[in-house]
Amino acid sequence: MGMLTIGAFAKACRLSPKALRLYDELDLLRPARVDPDTGYRYYATGQLERARLVAWLRRLGMPLAEIRHVCSLDAAAAAGEIRAYWARVEAETAVRRDLAAFLVDHLTEESRRDTTMNATTLELRHHAHSDRGRVRPANQDTAYAGGRLLAVADGFGPAGAPASGAAVEALRFLDAGEIPAGGVLNLLEDAVQGAAQAVRDAAAGAEEAGTTLTALLWTGSRLALVHLGDSRVYLLRDGTLFRITHDHTVVQSMLDEGRLTQEEAASHPQRSLLLKALTGAGTTASPDLRLHDAHPGDRYLLCSDGLPAVVPDDTIQRLLAAAPAPDDAVHALITEANGAGGPDNVSCVVADVVETAA
């Protein structure tokens, strides 16, 4: 059996040496021999076919975890898996096409607002509720909805409940007075610093205690987002559901890198391990900060991870679309989560953007 150095093998299969080292670590493409003294990798010429298949599948965008599964199958079964994967890609592409249309609309809204906002104004109608669920002995979530501020915090650790309550309480001053549209993101960033200190005080410096924090601040025409952790914000616009936050978790980072499939992520033992949060000790992580233009008819949902952990997005979309008012939507979503076992606390804030006479 002929042997090739890692450099020669990389050139033959059109994979970089760096990629080959990664695939070795992931048990996707092991070298035929590793020199015990130098650690240098050698590959058999018979491995070229598998390496080329890996390269082709990566060009398709297939995650590494799924490639490993495909490579373990015979040719017919592998072809079936590739066909199924591409069908999912086409379906997801359609969803991204809708998201792209939403973003184009979002980014061009400012020019339209100058001519359409003279006769009417926008306001929020909202409702918030937090539920213990069916399993947890106590509720560590905090949910809040006011005229300008919408917020959800999901506490964890021995002082989780005080931490989440302190974080939201530290933002409540934003609910009173006028919000300067030009500096609203700076205002939110400063407010998060205050929330971080409040959480440290509530947790008495305990690093294992803390909270996520996700909030929207209404300026009269826009919603400013601040986000830390794995609570979520969804937008229902014209019947289509968009998730406008990105989970700050270890599992989400592995999904982003293609190291996990969605199915593997759902049962991963570290799926709740956070990369960003407000904790009782340490420095404050940098939050996500963004502005979102509001349209009449928009419906926003803020929720702790106790909802999406057991209720899929298509069900969330259906329940949000069917509910006539925010309080009906909140009740329906929490009932659905508890009906699915309610393994965690679940908190929901729903807000509708409505037109009123100027």
Side-chain angles (χ1 to χ4, degrees):
M1 181 184 293
M3 299 293 285
L4 298 172
T5 65
I6 188 172
F9 189 78
K11 184 177 294 186
C13 65
R14 298 190 177 184
L15 286 168
S16 69
K18 180 179 179 180
L20 288 172
R21 287 190 286 270
L22 173 63
Y23 301 160
D24 180 11
E25 293 172 8
L26 296 176
D27 198 23
L28 180 60
L29 187 61
R30 292 285 194 184
R33 185 172 74 85
V34 178
D35 189 291
D37 298 319
T38 65
Y40 208 69
R41 296 170 172 86
Y42 294 88
Y43 292 82
T45 54
Q47 293 180 280
L48 282 171
E49 184 175 354
R50 179 183 177 112
R52 287 168 181 150
L53 175 60
V54 171
W56 289 330
L57 292 174
R58 285 300 286 162
R59 289 180 65 187
L60 282 179
M62 184 178 285
L64 294 176
E66 200 160 344
I67 291 175
R68 184 167 57 244
H69 172 62
V70 170
C71 288
S72 71
L73 303 173
D74 60 43
E81 286 294 317
I82 294 169
R83 188 179 301 112
Y85 166 75
W86 194 249
R88 293 198 305 273
V89 169
E90 290 181 326
E92 291 165 0
T93 300
V95 172
R96 290 199 296 272
R97 181 188 61 230
D98 292 341
L99 177 58
F102 159 72
L103 290 172
V104 169
D105 193 49
H106 167 76
L107 293 170
T108 56
E109 176 65 19
E110 187 65 32
S111 62
R112 293 198 299 270
R113 179 178 288 108
D114 293 340
T115 59
T116 60
M117 292 300 291
N118 294 330
T120 62
T121 59
L122 300 177
E123 67 177 31
L124 294 182
R125 292 179 184 168
H126 48 77
H127 187 76
H129 187 67
S130 183
D131 190 89
R132 180 173 61 86
R134 295 289 182 262
V135 175
R136 296 292 177 89
N139 190 355
Q140 294 188 307
D141 286 1
T142 299
Y144 176 82
R148 296 184 183 275
L149 179 69
L150 313 170
V152 167
D154 182 354
F156 55 86
S164 70
V168 172
E169 185 64 31
L171 299 188
R172 286 188 61 173
F173 76 94
L174 298 169
D175 216 13
E178 292 299 316
I179 302 299
V184 65
L185 293 183
N186 290 334
L187 182 66
L188 269 179
E189 190 168 23
D190 291 343
V192 169
Q193 295 298 322
Q197 184 58 57
V199 169
R200 284 192 287 270
D201 293 342
E207 189 172 4
E208 67 275 15
T211 184
T212 69
L213 180 61
T214 300
L216 291 172
L217 182 62
W218 177 245
T219 70
S221 60
R222 289 177 168 182
L223 284 156
L225 168 72
V226 61
H227 171 62
L228 279 162
D230 62 351
S231 295
R232 292 182 176 179
V233 179
Y234 292 89
L235 166 62
L236 183 71
R237 175 174 287 175
D238 298 327
T240 302
L241 188 70
F242 305 96
R243 175 152 65 99
I244 61 176
T245 52
H246 195 70
D247 293 346
H248 298 143
T249 62
V250 169
V251 163
Q252 182 62 58
S253 70
M254 295 173 74
L255 278 169
D256 295 341
E257 295 166 1
R259 292 173 177 261
L260 288 178
T261 65
Q262 290 288 348
E263 293 77 12
E264 290 170 329
S267 58
H268 196 280
Q270 293 181 315
R271 61 187 179 276
S272 298
L273 188 60
L274 296 171
L275 293 175
K276 290 186 179 184
L278 300 177
T279 64
T283 59
T284 303
S286 176
D288 294 346
L289 293 160
R290 286 193 300 277
L291 280 171
H292 289 268
D293 289 308
H295 290 193
D298 284 351
R299 172 167 283 181
Y300 285 85
L301 165 66
L302 291 76
C303 61
S304 59
D305 68 325
L307 179 69
V310 293
V311 181
D313 282 3
D314 57 348
T315 302
I316 292 174
Q317 177 179 4
R318 175 176 56 81
L319 294 174
L320 281 175
D327 57 336
D328 299 304
V330 168
H331 176 74
L333 291 165
I334 291 177
T335 298
E336 186 75 17
N338 285 333
D344 197 358
N345 309 146
V346 56
S347 296
C348 295
V349 177
V350 173
D352 290 347
V353 179
V354 298
E355 282 186 310
T356 59

